[in-house]
């Protein structure tokens, strides 16, 4: 019975912890944030949707899960409902589908329920989520076979990279996601890194690279210095 498909909310699993059987999943696709300006004398409108901040931005998305509870008397239903509501209602959670274990959604949960007999009950959990699902693993963490997707997964291993280029530039390629979170570089020595047309100073310890914007596909970083670096990179997709 432990193999029943369900949903994990932070550390709580819908079947193992609550005994709920998943009946239906709805994964909403987030709408693009668009902006059009009407210009006199111009056919159509001027599309400014991608004019700033590096491409298309998206609104929130909705995830909706419908569960059934069996052998659920009215007395048991009241207690179960209170337990689930106490864990979820109005609370932001990290949400992982058993059918997509390599990624998590982040969203605030709301609960609806219906019961019209002494045997079964239906519980619906709706989650207003951020637009992108994010990889469970960061690039500096070991590759886990059980969460890897052989359809769209990419192996990213950027831990303890030796940099040995005192005067020249050593290339390190980083595979970017559709959506990339801020890159962090941990170094055991002072260095420089060049990316596109900009050069940044790297201090000993963790460096949060707010101005270094990664893109989908191959991103070539060039390091100058002697030491080791770890690139902490996490991202996701719609």
């Amino acid at each position: 019975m432990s193999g029943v498909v369900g949903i994990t909310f932070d550390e709580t699993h819908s079947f193992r912890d609550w005994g709920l059987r998943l009946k239906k999943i709805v994964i909403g696709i987030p709408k693009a944030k668009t902006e059009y300006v009407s210009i006199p004398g111009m056919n159509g409108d001027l599309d400014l949707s991608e004019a700033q901040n590096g491409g298309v931005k998206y609104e929130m998305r909705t995830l909706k899960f419908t569960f059934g509870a069996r052998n659920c008397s009215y007395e048991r239903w009241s207690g179960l409902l209170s337990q689930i509501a106490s864990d979820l209602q109005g609370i932001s959670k990290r949400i992982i589908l058993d059918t997509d274990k390599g990624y998590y959604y982040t969203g605030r949960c709301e609960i609806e329920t219906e019961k019209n007999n002494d045997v079964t009950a239906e519980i619906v959990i709706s989650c207003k989520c951020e637009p992108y699902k994010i990889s469970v693993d960061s690039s500096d963490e070991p590759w886990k076979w059980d969460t890897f997707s052989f359809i769209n997964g990419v192996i990213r291993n950027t831990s303890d990279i030796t940099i040995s280029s005192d005067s020249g530039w050593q290339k390190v390629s980083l595979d970017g996601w559709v959506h990339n979170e801020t890159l962090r570089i941990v170094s055991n020595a002072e260095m420089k890194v060049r990316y596109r047309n900009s050069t940044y100073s790297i201090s000993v310890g963790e460096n949060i690279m707010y101005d270094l914007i990664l893109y989908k596909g191959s991103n070539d970083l060039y390091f100058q210095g002697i030491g080791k670096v770890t690139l902490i990179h996490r991202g996701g997709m719609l």
Side-chain angles (χ1 to χ4, degrees):
M1 299 296 286
S2 61
V4 174
V5 172
I7 311 295
T8 299
F9 301 90
D10 283 351
E11 303 300 324
T12 303
H13 189 267
S14 57
F15 180 77
R16 291 193 297 270
D17 295 291
W18 296 327
L20 300 180
R21 288 188 173 274
L22 184 60
K23 296 168 59 179
K24 183 178 180 181
I25 299 175
V26 177
I27 304 294
I29 302 299
K31 292 183 178 180
K33 293 183 176 181
T34 57
E35 182 178 355
Y36 296 92
V37 177
S38 179
I39 306 295
M42 172 184 172
N43 289 318
D45 294 330
L46 181 62
D47 186 355
L48 300 178
S49 304
E50 299 182 57
Q52 295 180 342
N53 301 321
V56 178
K57 302 303 176 186
Y58 294 92
E59 297 179 1
M60 302 291 278
R61 73 194 304 169
T62 299
L63 276 59
K64 189 173 183 178
F65 311 108
T66 302
F67 300 95
R70 295 186 176 276
N71 301 318
C72 188
S73 65
Y74 281 98
E75 291 79 9
R76 179 176 180 272
W77 173 66
S78 296
L80 178 64
L81 180 59
S82 293
Q83 179 187 359
I84 297 172
S86 297
D87 287 343
L88 292 187
Q89 182 69 11
I91 301 172
S92 180
K93 292 287 184 176
R94 176 181 284 203
I95 303 157
I96 299 177
L97 283 64
D98 282 357
T99 53
D100 193 15
K101 290 183 177 180
Y103 296 88
Y104 68 88
Y105 300 86
T106 300
R108 201 166 296 279
C109 303
E110 299 287 340
I111 300 169
E112 300 175 44
T113 185
E114 181 175 328
K115 182 170 177 61
N116 52 31
N117 61 67
D118 199 41
V119 179
T120 62
E122 183 175 276
I123 295 176
V124 178
I125 300 174
S126 299
C127 310
K128 187 174 183 179
C129 296
E130 296 174 7
Y132 289 99
K133 63 179 185 180
I134 303 300
S135 173
V136 169
D137 298 322
S138 177
S139 62
D140 64 313
E141 296 173 345
W143 176 33
K144 298 181 177 66
W145 277 93
D146 60 345
T147 63
F148 185 73
S149 170
F150 288 93
I151 298 174
N152 54 27
V154 176
I155 300 173
R156 295 171 169 87
N157 187 359
T158 57
S159 186
D160 289 329
I161 301 170
T162 299
I163 304 298
S164 182
S165 185
D166 195 20
S167 57
W169 295 91
Q170 179 177 330
K171 184 172 80 171
V172 176
S173 293
L174 189 61
D175 198 40
W177 298 87
V178 175
H179 166 74
N180 297 280
E181 297 191 342
T182 301
L183 175 67
R184 292 179 289 154
I185 301 176
V186 179
S187 177
N188 67 356
E190 292 185 354
M191 297 189 192
K192 292 181 179 180
V193 59
R194 192 179 75 218
Y195 177 69
R196 297 187 175 247
N197 295 318
S198 299
T199 301
Y200 308 91
S201 296
I202 300 297
S203 303
V204 176
E206 182 176 284
N207 301 262
I208 304 176
M209 311 301 294
Y210 293 111
D211 296 327
L212 199 159
I213 307 300
L214 299 173
Y215 295 88
K216 178 184 177 182
S218 182
N219 296 267
D220 294 332
L221 285 69
Y222 296 86
F223 286 86
Q224 185 178 86
I226 303 294
K228 285 190 174 184
V229 296
T230 291
L231 309 185
I232 303 175
H233 172 227
R234 193 188 298 271
M237 61 183 69
L238 291 177

